[in-house]
C-alpha cells in the first residue's frame, strides 16, 4: 500500500481542464480584438495622413511610402496575431500554474490543491501509512473544495470588453466608410493596396507634351523623360484634358542643371494650350507642373543631347572611260576617285557612276533624302528597325504635276548595303544620266508595278537639289537638313579658235589656204579635219589634215610642223573655175561614247576663184591704201622734225634769257618733249601695222601662187627690209633720244645735246622711209595703167551690150 503512487482526483482534473479551456478562449478573443483594433487604427491613420498630404500638396503619397506602410501593416498584424493570439491561446499551460492561479483567486483552498497537483505530477510515493493517510486526506479535501468553485470569478472581463468594443467600433467605422463613401474606400485600396501612382480623383487633368521647334509635331514623355537636340528651341505645351475643369493658370517650377529653382505662372491664350518656351536649350531641365487640383507626383526631365548631323559627305566617282579622268589600280583597272563635299554644290561629268556616302556623328534610325529634279520630286527613306533587323528603304515619287504618287519598296538584299550596320552612315549608288529624271521615274514605275527587277545602280537626274534629314535612335531630327546640289555637266562639243593667215576671200585656182588656230575639248579631241562645199552644195565634203589626229588630246593645234604653224588646204585638186565659190570650215569631234560624239565646226570661210591678174590688182589696191597711210605718217614725222629744230633754237637762247621769258621757253621745251614722245610712239605703232599689212600682201601672193622674183624682191628687199629696220632700230633710237630730252627738261640740264641727237635719229628714220615711199610710188604708174585698161574693157563691154540692145529694138520695129 505504501508503495502505490498517488493520483489526482477526477474532480480536480476536470476543474483544471475547464479552467485551461476558458483561459484559451479569453486570450483568443482578446487577441483577435486587439489585432482588429490595430488594423483599424492603421487604416484610419493612413487614411488621415493621405487626406492631409493631398490637401496640402495636391499630390498622392509617394509610392515608396505607401509600399513601406503596406509591408509594415502586414508585418504588424502578423506579429500581433502571433503574440496576442498564437503564443497566448495555443501555448502550453501546466496544471501547477492553474492550481496556483486558483489558490491565489480562492484563498480558502489554502495549499491543498497545489499539494495534490505536485504529488500527482511528481509520482510521489509515501514512505509510511501515516504519511499516506495525510496526503489522501489533503487530496480529498481539495477535490471537495474545487467542486464548489465558480471559475468565472478567475477572469477580469474589463480588458476583453474594452478590446472587443474598440474592435467593433473601428471595424464598424471602416465598414460604414465602405458603405457610405465607396469612392474613399476605393481610393484607399488603390493607393495602399494596389499602389496605383494616381488614385485621387481630380477635377483638373493636364497633358504635358513638348515641341522641338521649328517642328509642329507634339511629343509625349517616355517615363517622364524627353531628349531634345542641344541648342534647339523647345516649346512646353500643357493641354487641359477634355471634359476636365480648365485651371485659370498653371504653375511651372523648373531648374536648369546646376542652377536654382525658378517659378513662373502660365496663362491660357484663348482656346490654345498653356505654353512655355525654352530658347536655345543647352542644359538639362527638370520641372514640375501644377494647376487647379492637379499636380505631378514626379518631375519631368528634358535631357539635352547632340542632334544628329553629317560629319562627312563624299562622292566616290567613277568617271566615263572616255574622259580619261579615272586613276588606275595595280591591275590597270579604273578605280573610283573620292571627292569630299566641302560646300553646297558639286559638279561631275555626265555619265559618272557615283557612290553617294555620308557619315553621321551618332547611330541613326532613319535617313530621309528629298530630291528635287526638274518636274519630279523623289523622297528616299532608309531606316533600320532594330540592331539586328535588315535595312528597309522606300522611295516615294511625288510629281509636281498631276501624275499620281508612287511608293516603291527596295528589296532587302539591295538596300542592305545602303545603310551601315552600325547605323552611322549610308551609301547610295547612282549614275548621272542625260534625261535621268525620266529614266528614274520609269525605273520606279516598273518596280512599283513589279514589271522589272530592282537595279543595283539607280539613274539620277542631271541637276538635282538634295535635302538630307537625319533621325537618331531617340527620334531626334536634325535641326536643319543638309543641302547639296549635284550637277551633271554635259560634255560640250569641242571649241575651235580658227583664223586664216596670209589669204583673203579672193583666191586663185592654185591657192593653198593656210588655217591656223587651236581645237580644245575637256576630255580630248578624237577627230579633226577640213570640210568644204563648192558653190551651192549642201553636203559637206571631208578632207583629212596632212597629219591627222591619232591620239586623244585635250588641245590640238592646227599646225603641220614647228616651221609651219598652220594646216593647209590645197585648192588645185578641186579643179575649180573662175567665179566659183568655195566654202571651207574645220570639223572637230570628241570621244563621248555615251551621248555623243559631239561635233563642232568652225566659222565658214567663203572664197571666190579669181584670175592671177585680178588677184594682183586687188593686192595692188591694198598697197595703194597702205601708201596713203604711209605718206601721212611720213608727213607727221617731218613736222615733228621741224618742231624740234624750232625748239632747238629757243633752247640756245636760255643762256642769255632770265625771268619770265626764260620760264616761257622752259615751258615750251617741256611741251615739245612730251608732244614729240607721244607723236613718235603713235607713228611707230602705225608703222608696225603697215609692215604687218605688207607681209600679208606678200604671203597672199605666195599662197595664191602669184609671186614672181621681181615682186618678191621688191616687197622683201625694198619695202619690208627697211620697214623692219625702222621699226626695230630707228623708232626705238628716236624714243631714247627724246626721252633724254625730256629728262634734261625735268632736271634743268643742258637741252642742246639731247635735241641734236633726236634730230639725227629722226633724220635717219625719215631718210629710210622716203626710200620706201619712192619704191611704193613706182607701182603707181603700172597700177594706173591696169586700172585704165580695166575701165576701157568695161566700157567696151557696155557698148557691146548697148549695140545688141539697139539691134534687137530695130529688128522688132522692122517686124512690126
Amino acid at each position: 500500500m505504501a508503495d502505490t503512487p498517488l493520483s489526482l482526483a477526477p474532480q480536480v482534473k476536470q476543474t483544471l481542464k475547464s479552467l485551461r479551456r476558458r483561459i484559451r478562449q479569453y486570450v483568443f478573443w482578446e487577441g483577435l480584438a486587439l489585432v482588429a483594433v490595430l488594423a483599424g487604427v492603421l487604416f484610419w491613420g493612413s487614411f488621415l495622413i493621405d487626406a492631409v498630404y493631398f490637401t496640402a500638396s495636391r499630390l498622392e503619397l509617394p509610392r515608396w511610402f505607401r509600399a513601406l506602410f503596406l509591408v509594415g501593416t502586414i508585418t504588424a498584424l502578423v506579429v500581433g496575431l502571433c503574440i496576442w493570439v498564437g503564443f497566448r491561446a495555443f501555448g502550453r499551460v501546466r496544471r501547477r500554474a492553474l492550481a496556483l492561479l486558483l489558490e491565489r483567486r480562492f484563498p480558502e483552498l489554502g495549499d491543498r490543491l497545489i499539494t495534490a497537483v505536485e504529488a500527482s505530477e511528481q509520482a510521489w510515493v509515501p514512505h509510511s501509512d501515516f504519511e499516506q493517510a495525510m496526503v489522501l486526506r489533503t487530496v480529498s479535501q481539495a477535490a471537495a473544495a474545487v467542486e464548489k468553485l465558480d471559475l468565472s470569478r478567475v477572469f477580469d472581463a474589463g480588458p476583453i470588453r474594452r478590446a472587443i468594443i474598440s474592435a467593433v467600433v473601428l471595424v464598424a467605422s471602416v465598414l460604414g466608410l465602405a458603405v457610405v463613401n465607396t469612392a474613399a474606400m476605393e481610393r484607399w485600396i488603390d493607393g495602399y493596396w494596389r499602389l496605383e501612382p494616381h488614385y485621387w480623383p481630380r477635377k483638373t487633368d493636364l497633358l504635358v507634351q513638348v515641341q522641338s521647334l521649328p517642328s509642329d509635331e507634339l511629343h509625349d514623355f517616355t517615363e517622364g523623360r524627353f531628349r531634345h537636340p542641344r541648342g534647339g528651341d523647345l516649346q512646353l505645351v500643357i493641354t487641359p484634358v477634355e471634359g476636365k475643369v480648365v485651371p485659370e493658370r498653371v504653375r511651372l517650377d523648373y531648374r536648369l542643371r546646376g542652377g536654382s529653382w525658378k517659378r513662373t505662372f502660365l496663362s491660357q491664350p484663348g482656346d490654345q494650350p498653356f505654353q512655355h518656351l525654352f530658347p536655345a536649350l543647352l542644359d538639362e531641365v527638370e520641372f514640375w507642373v501644377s494647376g487647379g487640383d492637379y499636380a505631378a507626383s514626379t518631375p519631368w526631365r528634358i535631357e539635352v543631347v547632340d542632334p544628329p548631323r553629317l560629319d562627312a559627305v563624299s562622292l566616290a566617282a567613277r568617271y566615263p572611260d572616255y574622259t580619261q579622268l579615272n586613276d588606275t589600280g595595280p591591275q590597270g583597272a579604273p578605280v573610283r576617285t573620292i571627292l569630299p563635299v566641302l560646300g553646297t554644290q558639286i559638279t561631275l561629268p555626265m555619265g559618272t557612276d557615283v557612290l553617294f556616302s555620308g557619315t553621321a556623328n551618332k547611330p541613326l534610325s532613319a535617313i530621309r533624302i528629298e530630291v528635287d529634279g526638274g518636274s519630279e520630286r523623289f523622297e528616299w527613306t532608309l531606316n533600320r528597325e532594330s540592331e539586328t533587323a535588315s535595312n528597309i528603304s522606300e522611295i516615294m515619287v511625288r510629281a509636281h504635276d498631276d501624275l499620281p504618287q508612287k511608293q516603291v519598296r527596295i528589296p532587302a538584299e539591295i538596300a542592305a548595303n545602303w545603310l551601315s550596320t552600325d547605323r552611322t552612315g549610308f551609301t547610295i549608288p547612282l549614275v548621272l544620266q542625260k534625261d535621268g529624271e525620266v529614266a528614274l521615274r520609269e525605273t520606279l514605275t516598273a518596280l512599283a508595278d513589279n514589271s522589272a527587277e530592282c537595279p543595283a545602280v539607280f539613274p539620277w537626274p542631271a541637276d538635282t537639289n538634295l535635302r538630307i534629314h537625319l533621325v537618331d535612335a531617340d527620334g531626334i531630327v536634325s535641326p536643319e537638313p543638309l543641302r547639296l546640289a549635284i550637277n551633271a555637266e554635259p560634255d560640250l562639243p569641242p571649241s575651235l579658235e580658227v583664223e586664216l593667215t596670209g589669204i583673203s576671200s579672193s583666191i586663185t585656182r592654185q591657192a593653198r589656204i593656210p588655217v591656223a588656230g587651236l581645237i580644245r575639248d575637256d576630255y580630248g579631241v578624237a577627230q579633226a579635219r577640213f570640210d568644204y562645199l563648192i558653190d551651192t552644195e549642201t553636203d559637206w565634203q571631208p578632207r583629212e589634215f596632212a597629219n591627222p589626229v591619232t591620239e586623244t588630246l585635250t588641245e590640238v593645234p592646227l599646225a603641220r610642223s614647228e616651221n609651219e604653224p598652220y594646216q593647209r588646204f590645197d585648192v588645185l585638186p578641186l579643179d575649180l573655175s573662175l567665179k566659183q565659190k568655195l566654202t571651207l570650215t574645220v570639223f572637230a569631234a570628241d570621244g563621248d561614247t555615251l551621248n555623243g560624239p559631239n561635233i563642232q565646226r568652225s566659222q565658214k570661210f567663203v572664197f571666190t576663184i579669181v584670175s592671177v591678174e585680178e588677184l594682183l590688182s586687188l593686192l595692188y589696191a591694198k598697197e595703194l591704201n597702205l601708201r596713203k597711210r604711209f605718206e601721212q605718217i611720213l608727213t607727221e614725222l617731218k613736222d615733228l622734225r621741224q618742231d624740234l629744230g624750232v625748239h632747238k633754237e629757243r633752247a640756245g637762247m636760255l643762256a642769255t634769257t632770265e625771268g619770265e621769258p626764260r620760264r616761257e621757253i622752259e615751258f615750251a621745251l617741256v611741251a615739245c618733249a612730251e608732244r614729240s614722245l607721244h607723236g613718235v610712239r603713235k607713228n611707230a605703232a602705225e608703222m608696225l601695222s603697215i609692215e604687218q599689212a605688207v607681209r600679208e600682201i606678200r604671203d597672199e601672193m605666195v599662197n595664191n601662187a602669184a609671186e614672181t622674183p621681181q615682186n618678191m624682191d621688191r616687197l622683201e628687199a625694198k619695202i619690208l627690209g627697211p620697214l623692219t629696220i625702222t621699226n626695230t632700230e630707228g623708232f626705238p633710237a628716236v624714243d631714247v633720244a627724246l626721252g633724254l630730252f625730256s629728262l634734261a627738261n625735268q632736271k634743268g640740264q643742258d637741252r642742246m645735246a639731247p635735241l641734236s641727237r633726236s634730230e639725227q635719229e629722226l633724220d635717219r628714220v625719215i631718210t629710210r622711209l622716203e626710200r620706201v615711199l619712192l619704191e611704193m610710188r613706182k607701182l603707181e604708174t603700172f597700177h594706173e595703167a591696169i586700172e585704165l585698161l580695166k575701165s576701157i574693157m568695161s566700157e567696151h563691154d557696155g557698148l557691146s551690150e548697148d549695140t545688141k540692145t539697139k539691134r534687137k529694138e530695130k529688128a522688132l520695129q522692122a517686124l512690126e
Side-chain angles (χ1 to χ4, degrees):
M1 182 67 179
D3 296 333
T4 303
L6 184 65
S7 61
L8 194 61
Q11 298 87 341
V12 176
K13 290 182 179 181
Q14 185 62 34
T15 299
L16 294 177
K17 184 177 180 180
S18 177
L19 179 60
R20 182 185 292 113
R21 184 180 67 254
R22 289 192 175 190
I23 290 175
R24 293 184 186 278
Q25 292 176 354
Y26 183 93
V27 171
F28 177 78
W29 291 110
E30 183 186 30
L32 287 180
L34 291 176
V35 171
V37 169
L38 178 61
V41 169
L42 292 174
F43 171 81
W44 284 111
S46 63
F47 189 87
L48 292 175
I49 290 173
D50 183 56
V52 171
Y53 185 81
F54 181 79
T55 303
S57 64
R58 297 298 179 185
L59 291 173
E60 285 83 359
L61 285 168
R63 194 172 185 179
W64 63 266
F65 176 83
R66 291 180 278 126
L68 185 63
F69 177 83
L70 177 61
V71 174
T73 298
I74 295 175
T75 302
L77 293 178
V78 171
V79 172
L81 283 173
C82 292
I83 294 176
W84 292 331
V85 177
F87 295 156
R88 295 174 64 193
F90 301 101
R92 181 182 179 187
V93 183
R94 301 179 62 184
R95 289 179 179 178
R96 186 174 184 278
L98 295 174
L100 291 174
L101 176 61
L102 288 176
E103 288 182 353
R104 187 177 296 112
R105 188 67 185 83
F106 300 102
E108 61 270 20
L109 292 177
D111 57 356
R112 293 191 293 272
L113 184 58
I114 188 62
T115 301
V117 171
E118 288 180 348
S120 63
E121 288 181 351
Q122 296 176 1
W124 179 76
V125 178
H127 300 289
S128 62
D129 293 338
F130 176 75
E131 185 178 3
Q132 182 178 7
M134 290 181 63
V135 172
L136 290 176
R137 186 172 180 275
T138 299
V139 171
S140 61
Q141 290 177 352
V146 296
E147 287 182 346
K148 302 175 182 180
L149 297 178
D150 183 7
L151 296 181
S152 61
R153 292 173 57 192
V154 175
F155 302 95
D156 184 2
I160 191 172
R161 185 182 302 111
R162 290 192 296 271
I164 292 176
I165 291 173
S166 299
V168 170
V169 170
L170 289 173
V171 171
S173 64
V174 173
L175 295 177
L177 177 65
V179 174
V180 176
N181 194 349
T182 305
M185 179 58 70
E186 287 290 337
R187 185 182 71 239
W188 185 91
I189 293 174
D190 290 340
Y192 285 95
W193 183 254
R194 297 173 182 166
L195 299 178
E196 297 287 344
H198 304 287
Y199 53 90
W200 272 91
R202 288 180 169 84
K203 297 180 181 179
T204 300
D205 195 6
L206 301 176
L207 176 62
V208 180
Q209 296 173 305
V210 290
Q211 283 180 322
S212 292
L213 300 180
S215 173
D216 295 332
E217 184 179 0
L218 290 173
H219 300 275
D220 295 321
F221 285 83
T222 302
E223 296 181 355
R225 297 176 180 271
F226 177 76
R227 292 190 172 182
H228 178 69
R230 189 183 309 278
D233 295 341
L234 183 134
Q235 181 94 335
L236 189 63
V237 180
I238 304 171
T239 306
V241 176
E242 187 176 357
K244 297 287 186 177
V245 176
V246 179
E248 294 183 0
R249 60 179 185 174
V250 170
R251 191 181 82 183
L252 174 65
D253 298 285
Y254 66 91
R255 178 181 63 180
L256 297 175
R257 175 181 290 181
S260 58
W261 282 99
K262 297 181 181 180
R263 176 175 296 176
T264 185
F265 291 92
L266 310 179
S267 298
Q268 187 177 25
D271 296 334
Q272 299 298 317
F274 300 91
Q275 296 179 353
H276 181 76
L277 177 65
F278 292 101
L281 196 58
L282 298 175
D283 295 313
E284 181 178 325
V285 178
E286 182 180 11
F287 66 92
W288 302 73
V289 172
S290 60
D293 62 355
Y294 172 84
S297 59
T298 57
W300 285 275
R301 286 183 174 84
I302 298 173
E303 299 177 354
V304 177
V305 298
D306 291 330
R309 66 177 184 275
L310 285 176
D311 289 336
V313 177
S314 63
L315 302 178
R318 186 178 186 275
Y319 303 107
D321 293 337
Y322 78 90
T323 64
Q324 306 180 55
L325 297 177
N326 293 312
D327 296 329
T328 55
Q331 304 299 327
V335 296
R336 294 185 180 272
T337 302
I338 306 300
L339 303 174
V341 178
L342 303 179
T344 60
Q345 182 177 5
I346 190 167
T347 302
L348 298 170
M350 185 74 73
T352 302
D353 186 340
V354 177
L355 294 179
F356 177 43
S357 303
T359 303
N361 62 329
K362 59 195 309 186
L364 304 174
S365 63
I367 302 170
R368 190 173 76 255
I369 304 176
E370 297 177 357
V371 183
D372 286 336
S375 62
E376 302 284 355
R377 181 183 178 190
F378 307 95
E379 183 175 306
W380 300 56
T381 302
L382 292 78
N383 60 65
R384 185 185 289 274
E385 295 178 343
S386 64
E387 293 289 344
T388 58
S390 299
N391 289 310
I392 296 176
S393 179
E394 294 179 347
I395 304 177
M396 179 70 72
V397 183
R398 295 191 177 101
H400 292 294
D401 49 25
D402 296 332
L403 295 176
Q405 297 184 3
K406 295 182 179 295
Q407 185 173 3
V408 180
R409 190 176 181 89
I410 305 302
E413 60 271 14
I414 293 179
N417 298 322
W418 290 9
L419 190 63
S420 61
T421 55
D422 59 359
R423 299 185 296 167
T424 60
F426 65 90
T427 300
I428 301 178
L430 311 167
V431 58
L432 304 178
Q433 289 187 3
K434 184 180 180 180
D435 299 330
E437 172 188 346
V438 177
L440 181 55
R441 166 171 274 281
E442 292 176 351
T443 300
L444 297 178
T445 301
L447 291 176
D449 299 338
N450 294 322
S451 59
E453 295 183 357
C454 182
V457 180
F458 278 81
W460 198 254
D463 296 308
T464 56
N465 294 315
L466 307 181
R467 293 181 298 277
I468 304 175
H469 304 263
L470 307 179
V471 183
D472 65 11
D474 300 316
I476 296 177
V477 182
S478 52
E480 291 291 335
L482 174 69
R483 300 178 185 273
L484 177 63
I486 300 179
N487 298 324
E489 184 177 29
D491 189 1
L492 300 177
S495 65
L496 295 91
E497 301 173 3
V498 178
E499 62 179 356
L500 300 177
T501 61
I503 204 74
S504 65
S505 59
S506 297
I507 60 175
T508 64
R509 298 175 58 198
Q510 297 84 19
R512 293 167 295 180
I513 303 175
V515 179
L518 185 66
I519 304 176
R520 292 188 179 93
D521 189 78
D522 294 336
Y523 311 117
V525 179
Q527 186 180 7
R529 66 172 187 263
F530 286 121
D531 277 355
Y532 65 92
L533 298 172
I534 298 176
D535 290 335
T536 59
E537 291 179 353
T538 57
D539 295 333
W540 291 98
Q541 301 296 321
R543 180 183 290 184
E544 296 295 335
F545 291 153
N547 47 347
V549 176
T550 57
E551 57 179 334
T552 304
L553 301 174
T554 57
E555 291 187 355
V556 176
L558 297 180
R560 295 162 60 91
S561 63
E562 293 183 359
N563 297 326
E564 295 179 310
Y566 52 82
Q567 291 288 349
R568 191 174 65 196
F569 183 86
D570 292 332
V571 180
L572 184 60
L574 299 179
D575 193 20
L576 299 178
S577 302
L578 296 180
K579 297 185 179 181
Q580 279 193 287
K581 299 289 185 181
L582 172 66
T583 303
L584 182 65
T585 185
V586 176
F587 170 91
D590 63 13
D592 187 353
T593 57
L594 297 179
N595 304 301
N598 302 297
I599 64 173
Q600 184 68 284
R601 287 186 173 90
S602 68
Q603 69 269 35
K604 299 176 183 178
F605 302 104
V606 181
F607 304 96
T608 302
I609 306 301
V610 297
S611 64
V612 175
E613 292 77 11
E614 186 175 356
L615 176 67
L616 291 176
S617 177
L618 295 173
L619 295 179
Y620 294 154
K622 289 182 182 180
E623 185 176 336
L624 288 177
N625 292 329
L626 291 177
R627 194 191 75 183
K628 294 178 181 179
R629 292 172 55 194
F630 187 90
E631 290 174 343
Q632 178 65 30
I633 295 172
L634 186 57
T635 301
E636 293 177 359
L637 290 175
K638 290 179 179 180
D639 293 341
L640 177 60
R641 171 65 179 84
Q642 184 178 359
D643 186 57
L644 288 176
V646 172
H647 285 83
K648 182 178 179 181
E649 294 179 359
R650 301 185 68 180
M653 299 170 58
L654 289 175
T656 60
T657 306
E658 298 292 341
E660 186 65 25
R662 181 182 178 88
R663 284 192 294 273
E664 291 179 358
I665 295 174
E666 290 177 346
F667 179 78
L669 292 175
V670 171
C672 175
E674 293 178 356
R675 184 171 57 251
S676 299
L677 275 172
H678 176 72
V680 165
R681 289 171 181 173
K682 179 179 76 69
N683 293 331
E686 293 177 349
M687 191 59 67
L688 182 61
S689 66
I690 290 177
E691 179 189 352
Q692 293 174 349
V694 174
R695 291 186 184 277
E696 290 179 359
I697 292 175
R698 181 203 61 183
D699 293 342
E700 193 166 349
M701 285 184 180
V702 174
N703 292 325
N704 282 280
E707 78 275 15
T708 63
Q710 292 80 7
N711 57 28
M712 285 287 94
D713 179 69
R714 172 181 171 274
L715 288 174
E716 292 180 353
K718 298 178 180 180
I719 297 178
L720 286 175
L723 285 179
T724 303
I725 296 174
T726 300
N727 288 324
T728 58
E729 299 178 4
F731 278 112
V734 175
D735 192 277
V736 171
L738 291 174
L740 295 174
F741 173 41
S742 177
L743 182 61
N745 288 328
Q746 294 177 6
K747 295 184 177 181
Q749 297 175 352
D750 179 42
R751 285 87 167 174
M752 296 301 293
L755 273 172
S756 298
R757 180 177 176 183
S758 299
E759 289 178 331
Q760 294 172 3
E761 296 296 341
L762 193 55
D763 288 340
R764 293 190 184 96
V765 169
I766 292 173
T767 301
R768 192 178 294 115
L769 293 180
E770 286 179 339
R771 290 198 297 267
V772 173
L773 178 60
L774 180 62
E775 188 62 34
M776 286 184 171
R777 284 176 176 172
K778 290 180 180 179
L779 185 65
E780 182 175 3
T781 305
F782 176 73
H783 179 67
E784 289 175 352
I786 292 178
E787 291 297 322
L788 179 60
L789 177 61
K790 289 173 61 177
S791 64
I792 293 172
M793 293 177 63
S794 177
E795 291 177 0
H796 178 269
D797 292 339
L799 290 173
S800 298
E801 292 295 329
D802 291 340
T803 302
K804 292 179 181 179
T805 303
K806 291 293 184 180
R807 288 176 178 175
K808 290 181 180 179
E809 291 177 353
K810 290 180 178 181
L812 291 173
Q813 291 176 358
L815 291 175
E816 291 177 355

